[in-house]
Amino acid sequence: MKNIIFFSKNLKIGGMEKSLVSLLNELNAYYKVTLVLEKKEGALLNELSPNIKVTEYQLSTSQNVVFRKITNFTKRIIWTLKNRNKYDFSCNYATYSIIGSKLAIISSKNSAFYIHSNYYEMYHGIKKDIYNFFEKHDLDKFNKIIFVSNESKEGLEKVYPKLQSKFIVINNLIDYKNIQKKAKEPTKLNFSKKDTSLVFIGRLDNDSKNIELLLESFKLVISKSKNYKLWIIGDGPYKQSIKNFIKEKKLEDNINLITETLNPYIYLSQADALILTSNYEGFPVVYLEALVLNKRIITTIACSDETIDMKNYITLVKKNAHDIAKNILELSKELINYNLNFQEINNIKIEKLREIIERCK
């Protein structure tokens, strides 16, 4: 059985982290899996198979610069001596983990790097800024660079044309059985059938998620009809701004702010639609969660999945409050069933990654 190793930051609740857990649990059926986290923490640790070895590689953050550099340099030397080319496959799964990239390159001759967002859009196509973000990751030293959407890949092809032969798209996996199970858990929560309810699930970060646009759009909706409810589920730096907006606009009866939870599915299962007003995304895992629960999706982002033609399942809106409000007000409450085979979809994705893993050392 081949030994494979993945690197990431932590397993706190997030779309990338959920995808990692789903991926490792699937790979555990074929390989001996090790996961190295910068901090061994997060609610999703309990979602991992007990057969997966989880360790910590914590960098020193000492304010004493000399001590910090010596400590981190020594740790990397020790890692190199113990683990150079030890594994059949290594992967830095967290795009923003620099040490994850360094260790992945050391740990195997067959290494991969995951890119989870559309960095071309994030940096407005400014190549200098994109280079500055990726330069410490040594992209050219990886055998494969894996994108979770075609759009993310196409953006970086403009910046790194010489690396295109390393680029591949493998969309996120989804633990559909777990989602279906959690959606049926007992709850005292009951959405009113007279209301049209929408759910946002994600990190409360206005730069990427454009929550300000979501709030302004919903304010327009409420000015037309009081029978609309918005449930915002998550945590992040924009949380207090959301609270302030709700209070200032007197929208306490229509906008509900819920802290991040391992089970947002009891909310999503009762909602009429998922809504995202993001500025950019890689491929939102929450799209797949909505499809599992047969929910409509109103979104500003048209990410593509290799196995699912998302155009058939989303209502694509402009990044404009009036257009978003118009589409919310026209939202149908009719029940739907997508009849998607998520096991087959997961199998296709996992086989693409296994083809990379099965390369000779």
Side-chain angles (χ1 to χ4, degrees):
M1 182 178 285
K2 282 184 167 61
N3 287 322
I4 66 174
I5 188 167
F6 280 72
F7 299 88
S8 195
K9 283 274 192 177
N10 57 56
L11 284 184
K12 293 181 179 180
I13 298 171
M16 184 193 77
E17 292 78 9
K18 288 180 184 178
S19 294
L20 175 57
V21 169
S22 297
L23 177 62
L24 295 186
N25 285 341
E26 289 279 348
L27 290 174
N28 186 56
Y30 307 97
Y31 308 108
K32 184 177 179 181
V33 181
T34 298
L35 172 63
V36 179
L37 299 172
E38 289 187 31
K39 284 192 177 181
K40 190 178 175 180
E41 62 181 12
L44 292 172
L45 280 168
N46 294 326
E47 306 273 322
L48 276 175
S49 165
N51 296 323
I52 295 171
K53 180 182 178 182
V54 183
T55 64
E56 185 177 77
Y57 187 102
Q58 191 167 1
L59 291 168
S60 170
T61 56
S62 172
Q63 292 183 349
N64 184 317
V65 177
V66 174
F67 175 81
R68 184 177 70 241
K69 288 187 174 181
I70 291 174
T71 300
N72 290 334
F73 178 75
T74 303
K75 283 176 71 76
R76 196 182 310 178
I77 290 295
I78 293 171
W79 177 274
T80 302
L81 292 173
K82 289 183 176 180
N83 298 287
R84 180 177 290 280
N85 299 330
K86 175 180 175 181
Y87 293 87
D88 298 289
F89 173 77
S90 61
C91 177
N92 180 19
Y93 196 80
T95 313
Y96 42 84
S97 175
I98 295 171
I99 190 60
S101 289
K102 304 298 184 186
L103 299 182
I105 291 167
I106 291 168
S107 301
S108 177
K109 293 180 180 179
N110 184 18
S111 60
F113 178 67
Y114 258 85
I115 294 180
H116 291 276
S117 191
N118 191 329
Y119 285 88
Y120 191 82
E121 291 295 325
M122 183 187 298
Y123 289 109
H124 310 291
I126 301 172
K127 292 185 178 182
K128 178 183 175 183
D129 292 342
I130 299 170
Y131 287 137
N132 286 341
F133 178 85
F134 284 109
E135 65 177 348
K136 294 180 181 178
H137 289 280
D138 296 325
L139 291 186
D140 58 314
K141 294 183 180 179
F142 286 96
N143 297 91
K144 287 293 180 182
I145 299 169
I146 302 171
F147 297 82
V148 297
S149 72
N150 287 313
E151 291 76 12
S152 297
K153 172 176 167 286
E154 289 163 4
L156 281 203
E157 282 176 339
K158 301 173 186 176
V159 183
Y160 294 101
K162 293 182 180 179
L163 296 181
Q164 286 188 40
S165 62
K166 297 175 182 278
F167 290 179
I168 186 171
V169 175
I170 303 178
N171 302 115
N172 292 316
L173 275 72
I174 191 75
D175 189 349
Y176 66 97
K177 290 181 181 178
N178 191 38
I179 292 169
Q180 292 167 339
K181 178 183 176 182
K182 286 185 174 180
K184 295 176 182 177
E185 286 182 359
T187 177
K188 294 180 181 178
L189 178 72
N190 286 301
F191 286 9
S192 173
K193 292 184 179 179
K194 71 176 182 179
D195 295 326
T196 298
S197 297
L198 295 96
V199 169
F200 165 91
I201 302 170
R203 176 171 165 77
L204 306 183
D205 178 353
N206 194 52
D207 289 341
S208 59
K209 300 298 183 182
N210 205 351
I211 298 169
E212 182 179 354
L213 176 60
L214 173 61
L215 295 173
E216 290 295 335
S217 302
F218 211 76
K219 185 181 72 171
L220 289 176
V221 170
I222 299 306
S223 71
K224 301 287 185 181
S225 172
K226 301 294 184 184
N227 292 334
Y228 284 82
K229 304 287 186 187
L230 174 63
W231 300 78
I232 298 175
I233 304 172
D235 279 313
Y238 203 68
K239 188 172 187 176
Q240 188 58 50
S241 297
I242 297 171
K243 290 180 178 179
N244 295 342
F245 182 92
I246 294 171
K247 184 177 181 180
E248 289 170 8
K249 306 301 180 183
K250 297 180 171 57
L251 293 173
E252 291 88 347
D253 292 336
N254 297 94
I255 302 179
N256 303 276
L257 181 57
I258 310 297
T259 193
E260 68 178 3
T261 171
L262 277 170
N263 189 3
Y265 314 117
I266 57 174
Y267 298 91
L268 186 56
S269 63
Q270 295 190 58
D272 296 292
L274 171 79
I275 185 163
L276 251 68
T277 55
S278 303
N279 285 318
Y280 54 84
E281 294 278 355
F283 185 94
V285 175
V286 72
Y287 280 4
L288 300 178
E289 294 173 341
L291 295 184
V292 168
L293 297 176
N294 295 302
K295 298 301 170 182
R296 290 177 172 82
I297 301 170
I298 295 176
T299 180
T300 53
I301 300 292
C303 298
S304 58
D305 186 298
E306 294 287 278
T307 52
I308 305 172
D309 189 350
M310 290 302 301
K311 293 176 185 175
N312 295 330
Y313 303 101
I314 66 171
T315 297
L316 185 62
V317 294
K318 300 174 184 176
K319 293 175 185 175
N320 173 285
H322 289 280
D323 189 54
I324 295 168
K326 173 179 175 290
N327 279 276
I328 292 173
L329 290 165
E330 293 175 353
L331 182 67
S332 171
K333 290 176 66 68
E334 183 181 348
L335 295 177
I336 49 178
N337 190 338
Y338 294 128
N339 289 316
L340 290 167
N341 187 332
F342 283 97
Q343 186 58 60
E344 183 178 323
I345 289 167
N346 278 350
N347 289 343
I348 292 170
K349 296 171 182 178
I350 207 72
E351 285 306 312
K352 288 185 75 172
L353 184 56
R354 287 197 67 204
E355 287 180 11
I356 298 172
I357 294 172
E358 292 297 330
R359 288 179 45 165
C360 295
K361 233 180 172 182

